[in-house]
Amino acid sequence: MSHDYRAQVEVAFPELDDIEDDGLRDRVREAWCLGLARGGWRDIADIPYAWNIHEVTNVEHVRGVTRIAVRAAEEQRDFHGADPDFDVVRAACLLHDVGKCYEYVDFVDDDRLDDPDPEYASGEIPHSLSGYALAHEVGCPLAVQRAIPHFIGEIPTRTLEAELVKSANSASSNAITQAAMGISLQEWVEEYSQTQ
């Protein structure tokens, strides 16, 4: 079955238009299209935020992380005089959970999927690592790649942009776990995380 993943990605993430570098924008789009195809997803909106939180989509979370990080970067620039690379921030935020295309195929109803590729689609690799690998595969700059691992600390050198992604991810995730389950992100991680 054919799916227009490019159109789905563009509709799901209007923040793509804010990436000034055309090549980087194309790479972000390409990573999502690869992830969706290999994961066998029919619709990008079917990927849940978490394996056990389906009330919020991954798209909503990724957009929230992007919005939070960009606003924080603006404050860092305007108030503190820092010089974050906004293209890197946006691209890394948009890609930070692309790995869920692979990791979450076992946690949705089969009617949301068309023939996931078993070479990729599995919960065995944490989504931050598979997202990093996707960004690398499509040729994202190292600055974007190193900002994608955001939770279990796979990359030892942290940049301003990487810290923005990490902080924004925590802020969005805390809001989602509180709204969906009445618990903090830390409580969710202690109780439900598959990557402890």
Side-chain angles (χ1 to χ4, degrees):
M1 180 170 273
S2 176
H3 303 284
D4 188 352
Y5 291 132
R6 180 184 172 102
Q8 287 187 36
V9 170
E10 290 172 353
V11 168
F13 302 122
E15 295 81 6
L16 275 168
D17 292 338
D18 296 327
I19 297 175
E20 293 180 7
D21 182 309
D22 293 339
L24 181 56
R25 187 180 326 108
D26 289 343
R27 287 180 186 95
V28 171
R29 189 183 304 111
E30 182 182 355
W32 272 101
C33 290
L34 272 174
L36 289 164
R38 291 171 177 167
W41 294 93
R42 292 182 179 186
D43 192 320
I44 192 172
D46 289 337
I47 304 168
Y49 159 72
W51 68 270
N52 65 341
I53 300 178
H54 291 232
E55 304 89 328
V56 178
T57 69
N58 191 41
V59 168
E60 291 171 288
H61 169 61
V62 167
R63 291 195 65 210
V65 169
T66 305
R67 292 167 57 116
I68 292 165
V70 167
R71 287 191 180 131
E74 289 167 347
E75 287 298 319
Q76 288 183 339
R77 178 195 63 207
D78 299 344
F79 192 75
H80 295 293
D83 188 25
D85 184 323
F86 281 85
D87 270 5
V88 169
V89 170
R90 287 183 177 102
C93 285
L94 289 169
L95 290 172
H96 88 279
D97 274 350
V98 67
K100 289 180 181 178
C101 291
Y102 298 164
E103 187 176 0
Y104 287 176
V105 295
D106 293 332
F107 300 104
V108 298
D109 294 334
D110 289 340
D111 65 351
R112 296 177 185 258
L113 302 169
D114 284 328
D115 197 27
D117 184 340
E119 177 89 14
Y120 298 96
S122 163
E124 292 181 38
I125 306 287
H127 62 268
S128 57
L129 293 177
S130 57
Y132 176 89
L134 272 166
H136 177 78
E137 181 178 351
V138 300
C140 284
L142 183 59
V144 172
Q145 293 179 44
R146 73 181 339 160
I148 291 170
H150 60 281
F151 186 63
I152 53 178
E154 301 89 3
I155 302 297
T157 303
R158 302 302 292 187
T159 62
L160 175 61
E161 293 80 11
E163 291 300 329
L164 283 162
V165 176
K166 181 181 175 185
S167 297
N169 183 55
S170 291
S172 174
S173 295
N174 264 304
I176 292 168
T177 57
Q178 180 62 43
M181 299 179 84
I183 60 176
S184 71
L185 174 60
Q186 185 58 42
E187 291 169 311
W188 185 90
V189 167
E190 290 169 5
E191 182 73 21
Y192 301 107
S193 178
Q194 300 172 301
T195 57
Q196 287 189 24

